[in-house]
Amino acid sequence: MFTHYDPEAAALTVRLRDQFEAFLTGRWDAAELAAHQTGRLREVVAYARANSPFYRRHLAALGDEEAAGLRIEDLSRLPFTTKDHLRKAQFDMLSRPVWEAWTFYETTGTTGVATPCPRTNADTIHNNTALTAYYRDVLAPYGDRQVIGISGPSELHSTGDTFGDVCRNLGHTVAKMWPHSPVIGFDRALEVMRLLPVTGLFCTPGMAMRLAQKATEAGLRPREDFSLDVLMLTGELMSPSLLENIGTLWGAEVHNALYASQEASVLAAAVSDGSLRTAPLINHYEVIDPDTLEPVAPDRAGVRYGELVVTNLYAGAKPLVRYRTGDLVRMTEPGPGAAVPAPAVQAVGRTRDRLSLNGRLVNGYDLEDLLLRSFRGYLDYQISVDRDDAGQDRLSLTLQTDPAAVHAGLERAVGACLDTLDTPLTVQTGTPGAITSTGAMVSWKAARVVDVRTGRSQENGAAERIAATRK
């Protein structure tokens, strides 16, 4: 509603709504998209060079004439922006002063210096228009009487505002719940979920399982005593196996709803064909080899696998140019049946979260998917890695579940681990504890993996400190 009081924001909202409508319905061809991206790239680079003290220095080698004629294929000549740059530059990274933003967020700062992430109206309208356009068909099958719960990691995170605004755009009621808050707590959150009742929930995979745990401890049955139709999960690594398990726990449809970061905002979102699709109207994407930093070519299946690099294509508070996300992705061009004519992306874990197991390097996504594939109905999980006296790496999986469920899938899981990773696996039941709830705050590896082969890292310490405050 604020746009009625801000003609510039109102005009931008209408323009973007119409652009996304035309793009999603196939009325943009490749040439029109390329022209759009080229024009936005030139605008953003000029804007950042003029307004951001960091980019004034970082892009000093780029002349005015060269910047004015910049093409998408010229991006590789520009330097990368890294997380270390963000941590060191702080407010010098911004292209607008904070007082011109409508809200202020920051990264959690659990494993390093927190970085400022203010949002202007332009930031919010660009990103939330993309989510509104993509989620419309995802949520439509559940009707027009939805009450959507939203649970995020902290008060200085964009989760509540973003999903609340998008749900309002789509006509859905929103209940913002923070179960880790000492004021709300899990008991009250579960009570509210039953009372309203909540039919949809935006949260992390860890939160979805923790809510199921707390409901079970209270004598409730997640599938029967709640009214969830759909879970929209984000904020952590999530493999197909984990998604299917959470759907089993709640008796609900489950979507990997969003790939985003506090720094770079929306990078990809769920669409009705079940995939995550990039948003090429507001970002440009590159996939590079994290070691050589060279562009990655598609493999025989048409998949590009490497580190994602993103350039924002809108002039907001802090547009990023060639930002190395540190995330490994698989990106595939859209086929004829794609719900949105944009590449599909799988975020498979951070580059530094990969594990070497008996000479084989595996990312978190594939490891989680492999180990959990044979089990359903568990309320939590954790992976341990150690090495025997002969120097062979070994894996152990702890599941919070009934022993009968472990027995049913044990043989398949052990065999698959040996075949795929040449690594022995043992599976046991147990309660991993609150540390598994810290994934969105620290990292998947710190929350889910106990690697006794390596020393205790800074991330391990951060996860343990957060877990100590949670029950």
Side-chain angles (χ1 to χ4, degrees), residues 61-91:
L62 186 68
D64 292 342
E65 185 175 340
E66 186 181 9
L70 202 61
R71 300 170 302 170
I72 293 296
E73 53 266 37
D74 299 327
L75 262 176
S76 60
R77 301 210 304 263
L78 302 184
F80 293 111
T81 303
T82 68
K83 290 182 186 293
D84 281 343
H85 287 141
L86 269 63
R87 293 187 183 108
K88 292 175 182 177
Q90 291 289 307
F91 289 89

Side-chain angles (χ1 to χ4, degrees), residues 111 235-237 348-357 361-365 367-368 381-385 435-464:
T111 57
E236 296 172 1
L237 186 73
V348 300
R350 300 188 312 182
T351 56
R352 64 174 180 268
D353 282 353
R354 291 175 291 180
L355 290 172
S356 178
L357 299 169
L361 195 62
V362 62
N363 61 58
Y365 181 98
L367 180 61
E368 179 183 86
Y381 86 92
Q382 192 169 54
I383 301 166
S384 296
V385 191
I435 196 167
T436 58
S437 72
T438 66
M441 301 292 288
V442 185
S443 74
W444 170 84
K445 189 174 182 181
R448 295 291 179 184
V449 179
V450 178
D451 192 342
V452 300
R453 303 170 305 173
T454 59
R456 186 169 172 274
S457 69
Q458 181 184 10
E459 289 192 341
N460 294 142
E464 290 166 3

Side-chain angles (χ1 to χ4, degrees), residues 24-241:
L24 265 61
T25 55
R27 286 180 278 149
W28 278 32
D29 58 19
E32 189 164 2
L33 178 60
H36 169 85
Q37 289 196 325
T38 299
R40 298 291 77 76
L41 173 66
R42 291 172 180 174
E43 175 188 332
V44 165
V45 168
Y47 173 82
R49 290 175 72 227
N51 296 292
S52 164
F54 169 80
Y55 278 117
R56 194 173 300 125
R57 300 187 299 269
H58 198 58
L59 300 178
L62 186 68
D64 292 342
E65 185 175 340
E66 186 181 9
L70 202 61
R71 300 170 302 170
I72 293 296
E73 53 266 37
D74 299 327
L75 262 176
S76 60
R77 301 210 304 263
L78 302 184
F80 293 111
T81 303
T82 68
K83 290 182 186 293
D84 281 343
H85 287 141
L86 269 63
R87 293 187 183 108
K88 292 175 182 177
Q90 291 289 307
F91 289 89
D92 276 358
M93 186 67 65
L94 306 186
S95 291
R96 306 299 330 155
V98 171
W99 57 265
E100 289 189 9
W102 82 268
T103 190
F104 179 82
Y105 307 122
E106 66 179 17
T107 58
T108 58
T110 52
T111 57
V113 179
T115 60
C117 302
R119 301 280 198 275
T120 64
N121 289 335
D123 290 304
T124 296
I125 293 170
H126 277 85
N127 285 278
N128 292 5
T129 298
L131 294 182
T132 302
Y134 283 25
Y135 287 168
R136 179 179 289 111
D137 290 343
V138 175
L139 295 177
Y142 309 107
D144 58 2
R145 297 184 177 182
Q146 298 178 51
V147 178
I148 308 293
I150 300 173
S151 177
S154 75
E155 294 80 355
L156 284 176
H157 200 277
S158 58
T159 298
D161 291 331
T162 296
F163 292 137
D165 191 44
V166 170
C167 287
R168 181 169 56 181
N169 291 345
L170 295 173
H172 304 314
T173 302
V174 165
K176 296 180 182 178
M177 304 180 303
W178 316 106
H180 286 299
S181 162
V183 176
I184 303 298
F186 279 88
D187 290 342
R188 179 56 180 164
L190 291 168
E191 185 179 15
V192 169
M193 287 176 66
R194 298 180 71 202
L195 177 67
L196 296 180
V198 168
T199 60
L201 181 63
F202 282 90
C203 66
T204 65
M207 177 59 73
M209 288 195 290
R210 186 53 58 96
L211 284 166
Q213 289 174 35
K214 295 295 186 180
T216 302
E217 290 171 5
L220 299 170
R221 301 162 299 173
R223 292 175 65 93
E224 291 83 5
D225 295 329
F226 294 83
S227 301
L228 281 181
D229 295 319
V230 59
L231 286 139
M232 303 286 282
L233 304 182
T234 186
E236 296 172 1
L237 186 73
M238 62 190 93
S239 65
S241 294

Side-chain angles (χ1 to χ4, degrees), residues 316-460:
K318 188 178 67 175
L320 300 177
V321 178
R322 300 202 80 203
Y323 175 58
R324 289 186 63 182
T325 63
D327 296 332
L328 290 170
V329 301
R330 294 190 181 101
M331 189 173 290
T332 310
E333 293 302 310
V340 170
V345 64
Q346 290 179 341
V348 300
R350 300 188 312 182
T351 56
R352 64 174 180 268
D353 282 353
R354 291 175 291 180
L355 290 172
S356 178
L357 299 169
N358 295 315
R360 302 190 184 191
L361 195 62
V362 62
N363 61 58
Y365 181 98
D366 291 338
L367 180 61
E368 179 183 86
D369 194 43
L370 174 69
L371 298 189
L372 300 180
R373 191 175 299 158
S374 301
F375 307 103
R376 292 294 178 268
Y378 53 87
L379 294 166
D380 206 358
Y381 86 92
Q382 192 169 54
I383 301 166
S384 296
V385 191
D386 66 1
R387 185 169 289 146
D388 64 21
D389 293 338
Q392 183 182 41
D393 295 322
R394 303 178 300 187
L395 287 169
S396 176
L397 174 65
T398 299
L399 296 172
Q400 186 173 341
T401 189
D402 188 283
V406 170
H407 179 75
L410 181 59
E411 185 175 347
R412 290 192 303 274
V414 170
C417 194
L418 278 173
D419 291 342
T420 306
L421 298 175
D422 193 29
T423 299
L425 170 70
T426 59
V427 185
Q428 60 191 10
T429 60
T431 304
I435 196 167
T436 58
S437 72
T438 66
M441 301 292 288
V442 185
S443 74
W444 170 84
K445 189 174 182 181
R448 295 291 179 184
V449 179
V450 178
D451 192 342
V452 300
R453 303 170 305 173
T454 59
R456 186 169 172 274
S457 69
Q458 181 184 10
E459 289 192 341
N460 294 142

